[in-house]
Amino acid sequence: MKSMGRRGFLAAATALGAGAGLSAYAAVSAADEDDTPAKTPDKAPDIALRDRDLPFMGTEETFSTPTLLKLNSINEDHIAFLEEIGLSDLGQRRIGDMDAGGLNVQILSAHTPSVQNVPGQKGIDLAYRLNRQLVDGPIAKYPGRFKAFATLPLRSPEAAADELERSVREDGFLGALTNGHIAKKYLDHPDFEPVLARAVALDVPIYLHPGYPADEIFKIYYSTTRSEYTEEFQDYIFSGSGYGWHQEVLTQCIRMITYGVFDRFPKLKVIIGHMGEGLPFYHQRIINDMGEPTENSLEKPFGQYFQDNFWVTTSAFPQTELLQLLLKFISVDRVMFATDYPFADIKAQTDWFRGVDLPREDKEKIAFRNAEKLFKMKVPVK
């Protein structure tokens, strides 16, 4: 891709990397202005005051390293932007932002697409080094404040399964996070059954984070013939957090159900972020239209898999109306808090959730208790 000026890049790069949450705040403000005055303004301050002591675990919190920045960035301006927002800071700046927002724990995951598309021994070694950097760095330096999802060398599935087991058993990792397609294949492909089987054996979840589309898909769906738009990175953002990422994750979820992944691995646990990646909006349409053609090939009704095998996080979507819609279709026992730091502001999202009008018990489940149960841990409370 062409280089671009720093000013232009920073203006356009809100979404580069994972920044959907920054634009979400504007949507929240607009929605709040349109709310019926009699509903929330009187309640919200009282509810936020009641829940000011609410502990939080952030379940989708991103980091990078100099190696990853070079591997996964477009150009030097992109690297500068990611460094400026604190993506590679795993020290006092990140801890300070967590403290300011009242976020007790971050579960760290590597910046998309991490090393999952690096083949062979190089990918295996990179994944191991990244995982060990977390253990020897922030996890050791700030006890109790950081947990992690493993980075896996998915181009080598057997090695990826082994690294998942090593990182869980030896280093206390909570599962793994993947980033979109792996060399044009998704996790429903038979190649990745060793990874899924190991996750089930270890009883840990796999977090499906978005990744950028394959070149062919990018050209068909997102490319433009107008160079002036390419120079503003419109096509890149369009294919990522501006739209494409969320459809990509939901597509992968539907593939995994449709092609029998959860029948082969009924105890497989999958997490998706961004308030369900569009699932609440499409839920009825998906289960109605996919139910009939899969009736004779799946062991359960199509919609049941969303209830049995999926957890959803709120990452980067601090919007009450979307949470309410999500809770119509997904049990409150399967929803977890996340911020998508550093692409979204921690305090803005914890402040939002403290003011959400839900019973205290339900808010505790979303804020930290569901994560405690899924990850078999306790959130340290100051």
Side-chain angles (χ1 to χ4, degrees), residues 95-375:
I95 289 290
D97 289 343
M98 292 168 64
D99 289 344
L103 188 65
N104 300 64
V105 182
Q106 279 194 350
I107 303 178
L108 299 170
S109 54
H111 183 219
T112 191
S114 187
V115 303
Q116 69 181 42
N117 287 311
V118 179
Q121 193 62 44
K122 182 178 179 181
I124 295 169
D125 293 342
L126 274 173
Y128 174 79
R129 287 203 301 271
L130 274 173
N131 293 333
R132 287 302 309 173
Q133 278 181 262
L134 293 181
V135 175
D136 297 333
I139 292 175
K141 187 174 182 180
Y142 303 98
R145 300 306 300 274
F146 295 113
K147 296 291 185 178
F149 290 119
T151 296
L152 301 181
L154 288 167
R155 290 288 297 274
S156 305
E158 291 287 353
D162 290 343
E163 178 57 17
L164 175 60
E165 181 161 2
R166 188 208 63 75
S167 65
V168 169
R169 294 195 184 280
E170 295 181 14
D171 295 335
F173 280 35
L174 303 179
L177 182 139
T178 68
N179 295 278
H181 72 92
I182 305 102
K184 304 178 185 180
K185 299 173 184 175
Y186 286 115
L187 291 181
D188 62 278
H189 194 280
D191 284 359
F192 303 111
E193 291 198 355
V195 178
L196 304 185
R198 201 72 60 92
V200 171
L202 293 165
D203 193 26
V204 296
I206 295 176
Y207 199 126
L208 302 184
H209 186 274
Y212 288 101
D215 290 344
E216 301 93 321
I217 302 300
F218 183 90
K219 290 175 183 176
I220 295 170
Y221 275 40
Y222 303 110
S223 63
T224 174
T225 57
R226 298 181 180 273
S227 60
E228 66 270 26
Y229 299 144
T230 301
E231 289 171 0
E232 294 296 327
F233 284 71
Q234 291 183 8
D235 50 357
Y236 183 72
I237 296 172
F238 180 24
S239 73
S241 62
Y243 173 78
W245 272 4
H246 311 298
Q247 298 300 312
E248 188 265 355
V249 172
L250 187 54
T251 297
Q252 185 171 186
C253 295
I254 296 170
R255 287 183 64 96
M256 292 178 76
I257 296 172
T258 302
Y259 304 127
V261 168
F262 300 107
D263 289 341
R264 295 192 296 278
F265 302 100
K267 294 185 178 181
L268 180 63
K269 299 175 179 179
V270 169
I271 307 170
I272 60 175
H274 307 122
M275 208 69 85
E277 309 285 14
L279 175 62
F281 182 87
Y282 290 108
H283 184 272
Q284 292 298 90
R285 180 79 166 196
I286 290 169
I287 63 173
N288 288 338
D289 283 25
M290 292 304 299
E292 184 175 353
T294 58
E295 187 175 1
N296 296 324
S297 60
L298 295 178
E299 295 178 5
K300 302 177 185 178
F302 200 92
Q304 191 62 43
Y305 296 95
F306 285 119
Q307 307 303 323
D308 293 347
N309 298 97
F310 286 86
W311 282 255
V312 178
T313 80
T314 65
S315 58
F317 279 77
Q319 296 172 254
T320 303
E321 67 275 19
L322 292 183
L323 177 61
Q324 291 169 339
L325 184 60
L326 175 66
L327 292 174
K328 285 186 177 181
F329 302 115
I330 301 296
S331 168
V332 70
D333 296 323
R334 294 299 183 99
V335 180
M336 300 185 295
F337 184 81
T339 74
D340 211 351
Y341 180 90
F343 302 101
D345 182 77
I346 293 173
K347 189 175 187 304
Q349 295 191 75
T350 54
D351 283 351
W352 158 72
F353 190 70
R354 288 188 185 95
V356 170
D357 187 6
L358 285 174
R360 172 73 185 206
E361 180 182 0
D362 288 348
K363 290 179 77 171
E364 288 187 359
K365 287 180 177 182
I366 294 171
F368 70 100
R369 293 199 187 281
N370 290 340
E372 286 184 326
K373 184 176 180 180
L374 177 61
F375 301 121

Side-chain angles (χ1 to χ4, degrees), residues 31-58:
D32 287 345
E33 289 174 5
D34 293 337
D35 278 347
T36 304
K39 285 190 176 179
T40 57
D42 292 333
K43 284 186 177 182
D46 293 338
I47 294 168
L49 186 63
R50 179 198 74 183
D51 295 334
R52 65 188 182 279
D53 64 335
L54 198 61
F56 286 95
M57 180 187 291

Side-chain angles (χ1 to χ4, degrees), residues 67-83:
T67 299
L68 268 185
L69 287 175
K70 290 179 181 178
L71 181 65
N72 294 330
S73 302
I74 308 168
N75 55 30
E76 291 301 317
D77 284 330
H78 191 191
I79 292 175
F81 166 72
L82 295 174
E83 288 179 334

